[in-house]
Amino acid sequence: MKTIHFLFGTQDRVARKPYILWGLGLMILKYIVEALVFYIFTKNIFTPLNFFSPLAGSRFPGMDTHTIFWPLMIAWSVPFIWIGVGMTIRRLVDSGSSPWWSLLFFVPVLNLILMLCLCFTPGSKTAWEESVVKVQESGIHSPLKISMAFVVFGLLMSYVSVNYFQFYGSSLFMGTPFVVGLTQGFFLARKGAGARQVAKYISVTFLMIHLCLLIFALEGIFCLAMSLPISLILGILGGVFGQRMALFSNNKLTPTALMVLLPLTPMVEKNYFKAEPTVVMSSIEVNASPEKVWPNVVKFPDLDPTDDFFFRMGIATPLRARIEGTGVGAIRHCEFTTGSFVEPITAWEEPTRLAFDVKEQPAPMKELTFYEVIDAPHLKGFFRSIKGEFRLVRTETGTRLEGRTWYEVEMGPQWYWQQFGEFFIHKIHLRVLNHVKKISEET
């Protein structure tokens, strides 16, 4: 229990020697487990150079973002981040430095430099004891007023990022929740709030931000429901770190500066952001020959109505497909509830492969809202289909019918939004493939 309290707590001093030994030990443990998992998924060696890479793509090369690998790695990394930040805050205080330098822990490359410096910086028990801040005010004064102030700031940040910079990035969905939580947690703790109270009021803040976005017709229910989990988790995580900062620092300038600079981050991120294409593949077995299945892939009549929850909630639902012409250059129209995909045929290999580009596409969904219509910018090109393909593979019992879609999500963090993208594309694929299977086996 003492070890757990030392690693995850906030009260114990972290001197140089335990910081080095625990840091090195945890780093080796993390590397061994990640190397093992990486090998299980890819059968490749995970090198130390991969481990220390600041870029996700080069850290785990060859890993498709739509596999379970990424959520698994994120869940695995959370306790290490918690321990790393907590120990770094206390090591900084022990060395007589400001705990706010621990924010560099979240900056690639600089985090390694910071930890290396702390391994050589001497500390003292006296510096630790003198650095503990005594809360001046007794009791929490107007915590809801503090929450409302951060609600206003969160709405401002959302408006600036989406309407001014026209960008949905990690600065909005990760940076904003973390900084809002960190700053709010700091000020609440300076008023006497404990960790539970900080978490409660930060939760209120983000629930109110999402509710206001809905009431002001800036976003719909479905997309707000998708963004709320990451906002709450990062907000509360930031709040806990902010509460820890308040134990050792009276400096209100740093959190205020973070709030001032945050609205500029979408502009910087947008200049470096690059949407990475990814592919989703779904398949089913059809008890009919490829020659019999092929015509129903090229075009198909109206699909049966669906009672699927997500389609009924507004996700674009396939209705039918028609084609103008035959062969390469023909134009296929796949009609959805939100409009039509215009798909010039790029490969016509009857009866084994049909491929097409996506020239035009409708909105990926119709937002649920209290209003008849909302003009949510994320419905206009931030989720893009690039191309698609059907493959018909002859089997002993008939045909294995495969559907592939290549798409891009111009929203950050991409790993988060691609989880939803893969889920919904699979549902669309299977709705079409099962329809093709049904009409192929009936004729």
Side-chain angles (χ1 to χ4, degrees), residues 5-13 82 86 89-90 128 132 240 243-245 247-248:
H5 188 271
F6 175 77
L7 294 176
F8 291 91
T10 61
Q11 304 300 322
D12 296 326
R13 174 192 171 208
W82 184 282
I89 290 173
R90 290 177 283 158
W128 167 263
V132 177
V240 172
Q243 192 253 350
R244 287 185 176 188
M245 297 289 192
L247 296 176
F248 306 108

Side-chain angles (χ1 to χ4, degrees), residues 252-412:
K252 299 179 181 180
L253 180 61
T254 300
T256 304
L258 289 173
M259 299 283 286
V260 172
L261 293 175
L262 188 62
L264 300 177
T265 56
M267 176 181 64
V268 177
E269 184 187 1
K270 185 176 182 179
N271 289 330
Y272 293 95
F273 186 90
K274 182 180 179 182
E276 296 292 338
T278 188
V279 59
V280 176
M281 193 277 280
S282 310
S283 66
I284 62 169
E285 298 295 326
V286 183
N287 294 320
S289 67
E291 290 80 7
K292 199 170 183 180
V293 176
W294 173 265
N296 300 319
V297 167
V298 174
K299 61 179 181 179
F300 49 81
D302 289 6
L303 281 77
D304 295 331
T306 178
D307 58 358
D308 183 278
F309 172 80
F310 293 100
F311 288 137
R312 293 178 70 86
M313 290 297 101
I315 297 299
T317 311
L319 299 175
R320 65 191 68 86
R322 58 186 178 87
I323 193 165
E324 299 172 356
T326 58
V328 174
I331 304 297
R332 188 170 180 267
H333 299 266
C334 195
E335 298 178 15
F336 279 65
T337 48
T338 56
S340 291
F341 282 82
V342 178
E343 304 166 343
I345 302 299
T346 57
W348 184 288
E349 301 168 13
E350 186 175 354
T352 59
R353 178 172 174 258
L354 180 73
F356 49 86
D357 288 336
V358 177
K359 183 180 179 182
E360 298 176 17
Q361 59 188 292
M365 64 183 300
K366 183 178 180 182
E367 274 286 17
L368 282 175
T369 177
F370 299 135
Y371 308 94
E372 185 175 346
V373 132
I374 63 168
D375 188 27
H378 67 82
L379 299 179
K380 301 175 183 177
F382 285 90
F383 184 95
R384 299 185 296 270
S385 294
I386 303 170
K387 60 181 180 179
E389 151 181 294
F390 291 99
R391 287 184 181 267
L392 293 77
V393 181
R394 194 181 302 275
T395 64
E396 292 182 359
T397 58
T399 304
R400 184 175 72 250
L401 179 58
E402 301 174 349
R404 290 177 175 81
T405 296
W406 284 261
Y407 75 101
E408 294 177 340
V409 179
E410 197 172 338
M411 298 172 69

Side-chain angles (χ1 to χ4, degrees), residues 24-251:
L24 188 61
L26 291 170
M27 189 179 295
I28 293 172
L29 172 64
K30 193 170 189 291
Y31 171 75
I32 291 173
V33 172
E34 290 184 8
L36 179 62
V37 174
F38 185 75
Y39 182 79
I40 292 172
F41 274 84
T42 68
K43 305 303 179 187
N44 293 324
I45 302 299
F46 184 66
T47 69
L49 288 177
N50 295 136
F51 182 73
F52 288 107
S53 173
L55 303 175
S58 55
R59 182 180 174 89
F60 299 112
M63 291 306 305
D64 292 332
T65 53
H66 61 271
T67 69
I68 196 175
F69 178 83
W70 288 98
L72 190 64
M73 285 297 98
I74 291 164
W76 163 251
S77 298
V78 167
F80 289 91
I81 294 172
W82 184 282
I83 294 171
V85 175
M87 291 187 68
T88 298
I89 290 173
R90 290 177 283 158
R91 177 80 265 273
L92 282 164
V93 173
D94 178 66
S95 68
S97 302
S98 169
W100 289 103
W101 285 110
S102 63
L103 292 175
L104 294 179
F105 190 90
F106 299 97
V107 182
V109 180
L110 293 182
N111 54 4
L112 298 177
I113 296 174
L114 172 65
M115 289 185 284
L116 189 62
C117 289
L118 290 177
C119 289
F120 292 96
T121 305
S124 70
K125 187 175 181 180
T126 302
W128 167 263
E129 292 174 347
E130 291 179 350
S131 296
V132 177
V133 173
K134 304 298 182 183
V135 176
Q136 299 298 321
E137 296 108 332
S138 58
I140 307 176
H141 298 288
S142 305
L144 285 178
K145 289 183 180 179
I146 294 177
S147 289
M148 290 305 103
F150 281 96
V151 167
V152 173
F153 178 82
L155 291 172
L156 174 65
M157 181 63 191
S158 178
Y159 182 84
V160 168
S161 182
V162 173
N163 295 89
Y164 188 78
F165 292 113
Q166 297 183 338
F167 182 64
Y168 291 86
S170 295
S171 54
L172 175 62
F173 294 109
M174 294 184 72
T176 298
F178 185 81
V179 171
V180 166
L182 178 78
T183 312
Q184 185 176 355
F186 174 82
F187 285 112
L188 284 171
R190 294 303 305 135
K191 296 291 185 181
R196 289 186 179 180
Q197 291 170 306
V198 166
K200 180 177 71 173
Y201 287 113
I202 287 174
S203 299
V204 169
T205 296
F206 284 99
L207 288 171
M208 288 299 298
I209 289 173
H210 282 67
L211 182 60
C212 288
L213 289 171
L214 180 64
I215 292 173
F216 297 150
L218 297 174
E219 294 291 347
I221 294 175
F222 209 83
C223 283
L224 290 175
M226 289 189 286
S227 70
L228 184 59
I230 190 172
S231 298
L232 274 178
I233 292 171
L234 289 172
I236 293 173
L237 185 64
V240 172
F241 291 143
Q243 192 253 350
R244 287 185 176 188
M245 297 289 192
L247 296 176
F248 306 108
S249 174
N250 271 319
N251 177 15

